[in-house]
């Protein structure tokens, strides 16, 4: 997730759902499908099935509880449940089943 500051003087900050990826053999960052909800201070983890889970974070006004899954094969984001409590700057790990 990339955070862009639009204007410092008026303290307006816009957060985009832009996501960049760099492959194992790539020499540069490449844009992928945008997230469903713009956010920052979220956490992500790669799951055993290859999907990437992004949880929580915040937007311009509040902490988020929504979670999204990214499928790198389909280059597609889908909504997947919510945290019980909105969180940002938290930790996230994948546990063995």
């Amino acid at each position: 997730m990339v955070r862009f500051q639009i204007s410092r003087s008026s303290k307006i900050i816009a957060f985009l759902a832009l996501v960049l990826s760099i492959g194992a053999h790539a020499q540069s960052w490449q844009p992928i499908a945008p997230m469903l909800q713009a956010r920052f201070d979220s956490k992500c983890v790669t799951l055993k099935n290859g999907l990437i889970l992004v949880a929580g974070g915040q937007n311009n006004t509040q902490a988020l509880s929504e979670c999204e899954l990214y499928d790198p094969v389909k280059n597609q984001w889908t909504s997947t449940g919510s945290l019980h409590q909105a969180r940002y700057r938290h930790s996230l790990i994948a546990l063995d089943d």
Side-chain angles (χ1 to χ4, degrees):
M1 177 55 67
V2 178
R3 181 168 72 175
F4 292 90
Q5 183 169 334
I6 303 302
S7 172
R8 181 181 282 269
S9 60
S10 63
K11 296 186 180 180
I12 297 173
I13 299 175
F15 301 97
L16 306 179
L18 175 68
V19 181
L20 301 174
S21 173
I22 190 165
H25 304 290
Q27 296 297 317
S28 63
W29 291 93
Q30 299 296 319
I32 60 174
M35 296 182 73
L36 302 175
Q37 182 172 16
R39 62 182 77 213
F40 68 101
D41 284 340
S42 58
K43 299 299 181 202
C44 67
V45 64
T46 302
L47 305 175
K48 285 183 178 183
N49 61 5
L51 299 179
I52 298 169
L53 172 66
V54 176
Q58 51 184 321
N59 60 21
N60 287 340
T61 59
Q62 64 187 9
L64 302 172
S65 62
E66 295 82 8
C67 301
E68 297 182 34
L69 281 174
Y70 176 70
D71 184 334
V73 173
K74 296 179 181 177
N75 189 30
Q76 180 180 348
W77 291 93
T78 55
S79 181
T80 179
S82 295
L83 302 169
H84 290 288
Q85 179 179 354
R87 300 179 185 279
Y88 62 95
R89 297 184 185 168
H90 53 288
S91 296
L92 186 64
I93 60 169
L95 300 174
D96 290 332
D97 290 293

